Amino acid sequence: MASRVQQHWLTFSRMWLLCDARWQPTPELAKRICKYLEGRHKPVYHPLTDCGDHVVVINTKEVAFDKNQWEKKLYAVNTGYKDTMIAMSAKDFHRMDPTKVIEREVYSELPKNSQRQNLMTRLHLFPDENIPDNIKENLVDIIPPVMEPPKRLDEFTEEEKASWPRFFIPPADYKPAD
Amino acid sequence: MQDNTQLAEQGWEVTTNYIHRFLKAEFPLLPDEGVKAIHDYVTQENMLVWIAKHLGVKDLIRCESFPVPPSVTKQVFLAIIGAVNHDQGMQRAEMFVHDFVVAQLVGKDVNAMWDVPNPMGMLAEILQKEGRGEPEPRIINQSGVNTVTPVFCVGVYSDKELLGEASGDTMPLAVEEAARVALANMFKTHEGRKPLALDTRLKTMAEIAGKTDYLENKS
């Protein structure tokens, strides 16, 4: 172990974490990002120590909503003109700017105090996997995903398909009844 | 009133001798300069004056000038050790040094007392003498490289074996710190070592240090 000064510096240093938002359920993802932004994943956490980490989110354009939330969920959008507040569906909002959905969700999940703006500046959102080099060099670790994205049928190999357990294998001349 | 210079000299001999033996027994792998550095820290004037003050030596001093200069307090303290040595024998004097002076090392960072200007160079020398591979610093982790608060975790390897690991604000600082940790691990003065053997009775310490002659006169 190094000297106490160095150990102290390491304990309270700010990490840069990567989060892949591909096919992740949005509210659960927002909660998880919130936890890392606040620093609640550290045993030295205290709200006054400002011990949160930076979170870089990639593939935000591929984030997922449950059921028919894309159509049902509404976001309040201020157009900037007088007396005009628009309620946009999540689908249109996402089409307008693919990073804004996650930004709004994390903003609502963060504690509603003066820390919130500071923590939002430590959230970096990118619609796909292109990250600027100076941010890519900062990264250290990965936030574990909320759920593993499920595989499509064409992403399985032939051996996996053949060895998949089946209840009964019908004979070759089987015709299902209508 | 007699002069206490002779007693003070005796006291200093006892103190220095015992501290050196204690440190050599406690840190057998630490080089002589390191032992000397720890000894110098524990016997520096400020330290001895502080111990003396808290033991009530102030009340025993007769001095021309007021306030009493620190050099006088130090001399009186050493003279007291000399007096114990003269009156009750070396063993009792050494127990006094053990309990009051050496005990000041508890909780102190022993590696910081020895100012090594080039730890990497020293490490390279030692490894060369032992016939091992030269020290290679490698990055273990780094975060926030392009920010104002970066963290670099560096490990020093020799023949693919990790000698010491440390973190730092900048890369050269982290490398230097890792070399210091590697040295501390080699000399067995690392943070996770077992505590100072302060509860060991003098006989055991004498046995460890190999000096048992004066114990034979124990009454």
Side-chain angles (χ1 to χ4, degrees):
Chain A
M1 221 214 283
S3 72
R4 281 159 206 175
V5 171
Q6 294 302 326
Q7 188 59 41
H8 193 264
W9 181 267
L10 182 63
T11 310
F12 289 96
S13 57
R14 193 159 284 141
M15 298 289 136
W16 282 69
L17 308 169
L18 185 70
C19 178
D20 192 352
R22 186 166 175 269
W23 295 14
Q24 303 297 305
T26 314
E28 281 79 15
L29 180 70
K31 284 195 180 83
R32 188 164 285 213
I33 293 175
C34 209
K35 177 176 156 189
Y36 284 90
L37 280 178
E38 285 182 82
R40 280 180 188 276
H41 60 292
K42 296 184 179 175
V44 293
Y45 169 77
H46 187 274
L48 295 176
T49 25
D50 194 17
C51 52
D53 293 336
H54 286 256
V55 176
V56 175
V57 189
I58 58 171
N59 287 327
T60 59
K61 72 172 190 253
E62 294 187 43
V63 78
F65 262 121
D66 206 9
K67 303 187 183 119
N68 57 351
Q69 292 276 296
W70 282 115
E71 281 82 27
K72 280 281 175 83
K73 191 169 172 69
L74 296 175
Y75 284 101
V77 176
N78 188 350
T79 61
Y81 287 97
K82 192 176 106 159
D83 292 334
T84 320
M85 197 74 163
I86 290 176
M88 269 179 136
S89 67
K91 196 163 72 172
D92 297 330
F93 196 57
H94 192 61
R95 200 175 289 145
M96 182 177 85
D97 186 346
T99 62
K100 283 240 183 256
V101 166
I102 293 194
E103 191 189 320
R104 283 285 187 102
E105 290 294 321
V106 174
Y107 191 76
S108 3
E109 286 295 336
L110 283 170
K112 320 290 179 288
N113 54 26
S114 49
Q115 274 258 305
R116 193 159 57 157
Q117 288 289 352
N118 266 334
L119 300 185
M120 286 304 286
T121 56
R122 297 199 189 125
L123 179 68
H124 312 270
L125 301 163
F126 299 99
D128 43 26
E129 288 190 1
N130 297 327
I131 319 175
D133 283 331
N134 59 348
I135 291 181
K136 207 188 253 186
E137 282 166 11
N138 288 341
L139 294 168
V140 163
D141 206 357
I142 299 177
I143 293 178
V146 176
M147 59 177 261
E148 293 293 335
K151 275 186 183 176
R152 289 194 309 266
L153 189 61
D154 56 347
E155 284 170 352
F156 282 98
T157 61
E158 288 301 327
E159 296 99 36
E160 280 175 321
K161 280 191 214 171
S163 62
W164 203 262
R166 296 179 68 178
F167 182 57
F168 98 108
I169 299 169
D173 56 351
Y174 174 72
K175 260 196 236 161
D178 287 322
Chain B
M1 288 234 36
Q2 287 171 336
D3 192 24
N4 63 5
T5 323
Q6 228 194 357
L7 278 176
E9 276 167 21
Q10 270 183 33
W12 174 248
E13 283 300 314
V14 169
T15 315
T16 300
N17 199 302
Y18 183 70
I19 289 174
H20 268 117
R21 276 170 29 230
F22 181 90
L23 291 175
K24 284 223 158 60
E26 188 68 28
F27 307 120
L29 297 173
L30 190 63
D32 292 334
E33 296 139 329
V35 170
K36 183 175 182 300
I38 305 174
H39 163 272
D40 288 345
Y41 169 80
V42 136
T43 54
Q44 66 185 323
E45 191 175 88
N46 294 347
M47 179 66 85
L48 294 179
V49 164
W50 188 86
I51 301 168
K53 188 175 107 177
H54 287 270
L55 280 175
V57 166
K58 240 172 49 165
D59 299 333
L60 297 173
I61 300 176
R62 268 196 180 186
C63 184
E64 273 179 345
S65 50
F66 182 83
V68 178
S71 52
V72 169
T73 318
K74 174 183 170 184
Q75 194 170 340
V76 168
F77 183 64
L78 291 171
I80 289 171
I81 299 174
V84 170
N85 177 34
H86 178 79
D87 197 33
Q88 295 179 347
M90 182 117 124
Q91 190 190 2
R92 296 295 309 184
E94 290 195 337
M95 275 171 90
F96 186 94
V97 173
H98 176 97
D99 288 337
F100 292 110
V101 181
V102 172
Q104 303 302 325
L105 284 174
V106 169
K108 299 285 193 306
D109 185 8
V110 147
N111 299 305
M113 292 170 198
W114 183 16
D115 182 25
V116 177
N118 182 13
M120 203 53 150
M122 183 185 275
L123 186 65
E125 268 175 44
I126 295 169
L127 289 172
Q128 195 186 30
K129 247 182 253 175
E130 290 179 13
R132 291 157 77 172
E134 62 171 20
E136 261 186 82
R138 293 285 184 100
I139 302 173
I140 291 173
N141 253 324
Q142 56 184 18
S143 177
V145 167
N146 293 318
T147 60
V148 288
T149 49
V151 171
F152 299 93
C153 289
V154 168
V156 170
Y157 293 83
S158 157
D159 287 336
K160 295 187 186 173
E161 184 202 329
L162 183 67
L163 296 176
E165 183 184 337
S167 72
D169 203 0
T170 59
M171 190 65 85
L173 211 71
V175 170
E176 189 193 315
E177 194 64 36
R180 283 185 203 281
V181 170
L183 284 173
N185 285 335
M186 293 194 100
F187 301 146
K188 298 266 188 279
T189 55
H190 52 285
E191 286 270 344
R193 67 179 185 273
K194 60 184 196 303
L196 291 174
L198 284 171
D199 58 344
T200 321
R201 284 294 95 205
L202 209 65
K203 186 172 169 229
T204 323
M205 290 306 304
E207 277 165 12
I208 293 167
K211 301 241 165 115
T212 48
D213 299 330
Y214 63 88
L215 281 178
E216 285 161 12
N217 294 331
K218 189 176 165 190
S219 56

